Amino acid sequence: MTRIPHDTSGEPNPLRALSLDSLRCRTSMKWRTYPADVLPLWVAEMDVPLAEPVVRAVTDALALGDTGYPAGTAYAEALAEFAEKRWGWDGLAVERTAIVPDVMLGVVEMLKLVTAHGDPVVVNSPVYPPFYQFIEHMDRQVSQAPLGADLRLDFGTLEDTFRQAVAGGRRAAYLLCSPHNPTGTVHTAEELAAVAALADRYGVRVVADEIHAPLTASGVDFVPYLSVPGAENGLSLMSASKAWNLAGLKAALALAGPAAAADLSRLPEEVSHGPSHIGVIAHTAALTDGTAWLDALLAGLDDNRRLLAGLLAEHLPAVAHRPGEATYLAWLDCRALDLGDDPAAVFLERGRVAVNSGIPFGTGGAGHVRLNLATSPEVITEGVRRMAAALD
């Protein structure tokens, strides 16, 4: 596959567009969970204005009163065109897609198609906490296959976990986070092909959460799971929500490989009623006309990754950190600070800065925090300053 590199669009960096005062006027979770004296660098919301094509598309729909139920395949067509241009992948077949309310509810529906009550679902810890919550809520068992010390897939551990998961003839699924949240790891084509081969050997069905796919660092290639050899019976969830900050405008797409088309065809019709029609319009506009804005964002995130590395070296040199290859999240190993299993609680209480505790991410999360980089350089600088002050 040939991938188009980040374009130098000439658009301004959206991460520098909004003041802290204007951000504090927002009423979403990021800005309303903590008191006003707390600097929020936690939940995956970006401190950006929306891309103008998205604003225009939503405003036009509202002016028309076009607020009914979603219909058609425009979203899937836009994603297919984006995937071909951005990732060099021409295998996204619109007829093998289905609209779902959002990525995690789509994950639930895909797991329902390929597992039954009580079946194991393998995850790579530390991983996005809702993986555990949604799997357990749907009465499946979580089987952790921790990442290696290099924060990449550990294939020995993964194979052992697959073997145990299917013992006694049980069905099992593997919920793959790609790119990985919270580490920002981007799985290579070779790694993903190895995943597909291993899953085939043990009869494990792969469901890939690829919500962060557009958010790669400069020089890093995202590889769609369904594009690799052996992944024909895989299922994937994609959305524009993370890359364009559209979490409040619900819509996502489920994708099936050629051998999984029959599975996807069993998706209950009522699932398609869950997405927001305005959300579908917004996501379609982002994928179709919002790529220049995205490229400006990606350049800003590259700058912020470098900034964070420098700030940690200066103010918190004991914190271990590998800049992520994707996402706008940073995974910080704070164990050398001797703040216990939950340093996020210390940073909040003493420094008045909110970052995510690593504990809910599962095995490997204790002593770590997750920090949101999708904000202005000034806010990141102040956030690290507050974290360092919490040690005094």
Side-chain angles (χ1 to χ4, degrees), residues 253-302:
L253 287 165
L255 321 176
D263 293 308
L264 190 62
S265 71
R266 293 187 286 109
L267 187 70
E269 189 269 341
E270 62 267 20
V271 173
S272 68
H273 298 173
S276 159
H277 180 46
I278 296 297
V280 171
I281 289 170
H283 289 233
T284 302
L287 290 162
T288 303
D289 300 313
T291 54
W293 183 93
L294 174 64
D295 286 324
L297 170 72
L298 295 177
L301 289 175
D302 284 340

Side-chain angles (χ1 to χ4, degrees), residues 29-31 41-46 328-329 354 356 370 372:
M29 181 183 290
K30 182 177 184 181
W31 293 97
L41 291 172
W42 64 297
V43 70
E45 297 180 23
M46 294 196 287
Y328 49 77
L329 306 165
N356 288 96
R370 193 190 73 173
N372 184 340

Side-chain angles (χ1 to χ4, degrees), residues 6 24 37 54 87 126 162 166 176 188 191 215 234 337 339 343 345 371:
H6 299 175
R24 290 199 182 279
D37 67 323
V54 174
W87 306 318
F162 280 5
V166 299
L176 173 68
T188 66
E191 288 172 325
L215 291 165
L337 300 178
L339 299 179
L371 184 147

Side-chain angles (χ1 to χ4, degrees), residues 110 206-210 225-226 234-238 253-257:
M110 297 305 102
V206 178
V207 176
D209 172 354
E210 299 182 310
Y225 177 70
L226 297 182
L235 295 159
S236 165
L237 285 304
M238 289 189 176
L253 287 165
L255 321 176

